[in-house]
mmCIF file of all heavy atoms in Angstrom:
data_model
loop_
_atom_site.group_PDB
_atom_site.id
_atom_site.type_symbol
_atom_site.label_atom_id
_atom_site.label_comp_id
_atom_site.label_asym_id
_atom_site.label_seq_id
_atom_site.Cartn_x
_atom_site.Cartn_y
_atom_site.Cartn_z
ATOM 1 N N ARG A 1008 60.828 -24.955 67.354
ATOM 2 C CA ARG A 1008 60.708 -25.030 65.893
ATOM 3 C C ARG A 1008 62.070 -24.858 65.260
ATOM 4 O O ARG A 1008 62.813 -23.978 65.637
ATOM 5 C CB ARG A 1008 59.750 -23.950 65.342
ATOM 6 C CG ARG A 1008 58.320 -24.170 65.758
ATOM 7 C CD ARG A 1008 57.476 -23.103 65.119
ATOM 8 N NE ARG A 1008 56.082 -23.231 65.517
ATOM 9 C CZ ARG A 1008 55.205 -24.025 64.903
ATOM 10 N NH1 ARG A 1008 55.605 -24.679 63.835
ATOM 11 N NH2 ARG A 1008 53.966 -24.087 65.279
ATOM 12 N N ALA A 1025 54.457 -14.977 42.206
ATOM 13 C CA ALA A 1025 55.160 -14.470 41.000
ATOM 14 C C ALA A 1025 54.521 -14.962 39.730
ATOM 15 O O ALA A 1025 54.348 -14.220 38.732
ATOM 16 C CB ALA A 1025 56.642 -14.874 41.063
ATOM 17 N N GLN A 1055 30.759 -5.476 -11.468
ATOM 18 C CA GLN A 1055 29.545 -4.746 -11.760
ATOM 19 C C GLN A 1055 28.349 -5.682 -11.787
ATOM 20 O O GLN A 1055 28.438 -6.856 -12.190
ATOM 21 C CB GLN A 1055 29.645 -4.053 -13.125
ATOM 22 C CG GLN A 1055 30.614 -2.894 -13.227
ATOM 23 C CD GLN A 1055 30.085 -1.649 -12.572
ATOM 24 O OE1 GLN A 1055 28.900 -1.520 -12.315
ATOM 25 N NE2 GLN A 1055 31.008 -0.698 -12.288
ATOM 26 N N ALA A 1095 -22.383 8.840 -16.526
ATOM 27 C CA ALA A 1095 -23.622 9.513 -16.931
ATOM 28 C C ALA A 1095 -23.404 11.003 -16.940
ATOM 29 O O ALA A 1095 -22.754 11.595 -16.078
ATOM 30 C CB ALA A 1095 -24.729 9.192 -15.909
ATOM 31 N N GLY A 1098 -28.867 14.980 -18.298
ATOM 32 C CA GLY A 1098 -29.845 14.805 -19.386
ATOM 33 C C GLY A 1098 -29.851 13.435 -20.025
ATOM 34 O O GLY A 1098 -30.678 13.194 -20.907
ATOM 35 N N GLN A 1135 -33.100 24.408 -14.529
ATOM 36 C CA GLN A 1135 -32.493 25.419 -15.408
ATOM 37 C C GLN A 1135 -31.031 25.096 -15.707
ATOM 38 O O GLN A 1135 -30.582 25.272 -16.827
ATOM 39 C CB GLN A 1135 -32.632 26.781 -14.766
ATOM 40 C CG GLN A 1135 -34.049 27.312 -14.707
ATOM 41 C CD GLN A 1135 -34.165 28.598 -13.891
ATOM 42 O OE1 GLN A 1135 -33.425 28.812 -12.924
ATOM 43 N NE2 GLN A 1135 -35.121 29.459 -14.270
ATOM 44 N N GLY A 1168 -38.761 13.258 -27.840
ATOM 45 C CA GLY A 1168 -39.838 12.596 -28.607
ATOM 46 C C GLY A 1168 -41.126 12.418 -27.801
ATOM 47 O O GLY A 1168 -41.895 11.521 -28.094
ATOM 48 N N ASP A 1193 -30.356 -0.504 -10.334
ATOM 49 C CA ASP A 1193 -30.823 -1.662 -9.621
ATOM 50 C C ASP A 1193 -31.528 -2.567 -10.622
ATOM 51 O O ASP A 1193 -32.718 -2.358 -10.953
ATOM 52 C CB ASP A 1193 -31.737 -1.294 -8.482
ATOM 53 C CG ASP A 1193 -32.184 -2.507 -7.668
ATOM 54 O OD1 ASP A 1193 -31.872 -3.647 -8.055
ATOM 55 O OD2 ASP A 1193 -32.895 -2.291 -6.653
ATOM 56 N N PRO A 1232 8.468 -2.443 2.564
ATOM 57 C CA PRO A 1232 8.797 -1.106 3.088
ATOM 58 C C PRO A 1232 7.620 -0.160 2.905
ATOM 59 O O PRO A 1232 6.703 -0.416 2.132
ATOM 60 C CB PRO A 1232 9.975 -0.680 2.203
ATOM 61 C CG PRO A 1232 9.809 -1.449 0.927
ATOM 62 C CD PRO A 1232 9.178 -2.769 1.332
ATOM 63 N N LYS A 1268 -2.744 2.873 -3.408
ATOM 64 C CA LYS A 1268 -3.109 4.175 -3.923
ATOM 65 C C LYS A 1268 -2.262 4.508 -5.138
ATOM 66 O O LYS A 1268 -1.196 3.917 -5.373
ATOM 67 C CB LYS A 1268 -2.950 5.237 -2.837
ATOM 68 C CG LYS A 1268 -1.538 5.269 -2.253
ATOM 69 C CD LYS A 1268 -1.421 6.258 -1.101
ATOM 70 C CE LYS A 1268 -0.028 6.286 -0.538
ATOM 71 N NZ LYS A 1268 0.120 7.250 0.619
ATOM 72 N N ASP A 1272 -2.629 11.786 -8.558
ATOM 73 C CA ASP A 1272 -3.973 12.045 -8.053
ATOM 74 C C ASP A 1272 -5.030 11.239 -8.821
ATOM 75 O O ASP A 1272 -6.196 11.252 -8.424
ATOM 76 C CB ASP A 1272 -4.284 13.533 -8.198
ATOM 77 C CG ASP A 1272 -3.452 14.379 -7.246
ATOM 78 O OD1 ASP A 1272 -3.043 13.842 -6.201
ATOM 79 O OD2 ASP A 1272 -3.168 15.541 -7.548
ATOM 80 N N VAL A 1321 35.202 -4.062 3.830
ATOM 81 C CA VAL A 1321 35.554 -5.313 3.252
ATOM 82 C C VAL A 1321 37.070 -5.446 3.407
ATOM 83 O O VAL A 1321 37.785 -4.433 3.534
ATOM 84 C CB VAL A 1321 35.147 -5.422 1.761
ATOM 85 C CG1 VAL A 1321 33.641 -5.384 1.639
ATOM 86 C CG2 VAL A 1321 35.757 -4.265 0.953
ATOM 87 N N SER A 1341 25.261 -7.259 -2.299
ATOM 88 C CA SER A 1341 25.129 -5.838 -1.944
ATOM 89 C C SER A 1341 25.843 -4.940 -2.950
ATOM 90 O O SER A 1341 26.932 -5.281 -3.420
ATOM 91 C CB SER A 1341 25.686 -5.562 -0.535
ATOM 92 O OG SER A 1341 24.982 -6.237 0.451
#
Side-chain angles (χ1 to χ4, degrees):
R1008 293 182 182 273
Q1055 290 284 344
Q1135 291 172 328
D1193 182 356
K1268 56 185 180 180
D1272 293 331
V1321 294
S1341 296

